[in-house]
Amino acid sequence: MSWLDIPALLAVEPVTLLAKREIGDWPLVGALARRAGTRFIDRDNPRHLPATVASLADLLRSGRSVAAFPQATTWCSVAYGAFRRATFQAALDAGAPVRPVTIAYEQQGLPSTVAGFLGDEEFLSSVRRVVGARGLTVRVTVHPPLLPHSGAHDRRALAERARAAVNGTVKGPARQHGDRVTAGQALGTYL
């Protein structure tokens, strides 16, 4: 939903982030992302995809967690957006579990889209809106791990199982990390 998704995930667990290549070119944000070890994916050049997947699989084999946003864009509802499957191939290649994550924003206990970052909005405009929001909280729900050998033998099936978990159509215990993290304190899918 938001640029706040990233700091919220990082508050839960240190991960290597996967971001679209363009973010690496953003002033300040790009420099911070590169410095933090973010890996970038060039969605406009599919020829680079096999090398990116191989690099992610190597990270996973080394024991690192990777946070990918398989919807590949921001949405104000988890019901929208197909999951792109390439990052799931990295998990399969590495034999690594996939931990679906749901991120939700609330104000005064009700669902909120105030943190949403959509369309052609300028980043500073979004920051001003979020900073001015009263009582904004983010809830990060980490769902049970999906093991590559437990019913998902290809990236399509694994991506669909992750999407079902994120959309709440799979029953099972979910872990809440902490109670709630306010936007001031915090300032996708782990593989």
Side-chain angles (χ1 to χ4, degrees):
M1 262 185 74
S2 175
W3 51 269
L4 278 177
D5 296 354
I6 293 168
L9 286 175
L10 291 173
V12 172
E13 178 179 341
V15 296
T16 299
L17 295 166
L18 179 65
K20 62 184 178 179
R21 180 194 47 79
E22 296 85 352
I23 290 177
D25 298 332
W26 289 4
L28 184 62
V29 173
L32 290 172
R34 284 189 303 281
R35 193 156 207 223
T38 299
R39 301 294 172 101
F40 297 99
I41 187 166
D42 187 349
R43 296 187 299 191
D44 295 330
N45 192 342
R47 288 184 182 165
H48 294 156
L49 193 54
T52 301
V53 170
S55 173
L56 294 177
D58 288 344
L59 274 174
L60 295 169
R61 280 188 208 98
S62 76
R64 291 282 305 166
S65 291
V66 176
F69 295 90
Q71 289 173 311
T73 191
T74 53
W75 298 89
C76 280
S77 170
V78 295
Y80 297 103
F83 275 24
R84 295 180 187 233
R85 300 177 295 271
T87 54
F88 293 95
Q89 186 62 51
L92 289 168
D93 291 350
V98 172
R99 291 179 287 161
V101 175
T102 302
I103 302 170
Y105 293 89
E106 298 176 355
Q107 282 182 285
Q108 286 80 41
L110 299 173
S112 174
T113 59
V114 74
F117 186 59
L118 301 170
D120 294 333
E121 181 177 25
E122 295 290 327
F123 182 68
L124 288 178
S125 162
S126 175
V127 169
R128 281 192 288 274
R129 186 180 61 255
V130 168
V131 169
R134 301 271 183 205
L136 180 64
T137 60
V138 59
R139 181 177 301 272
V140 177
T141 303
V142 180
H143 302 280
L146 304 174
L147 304 175
H149 59 275
S150 64
H153 303 290
D154 65 56
R155 64 184 179 201
R156 181 171 301 191
L158 190 55
E160 186 50 43
R161 288 181 61 218
R163 186 173 190 270
V166 168
N167 288 343
T169 58
V170 169
K171 302 291 184 225
R175 280 191 346 252
Q176 298 286 334
H177 278 275
D179 288 329
R180 294 181 183 184
V181 179
T182 67
Q185 292 172 314
L187 237 71
T189 300
Y190 291 107
L191 302 176

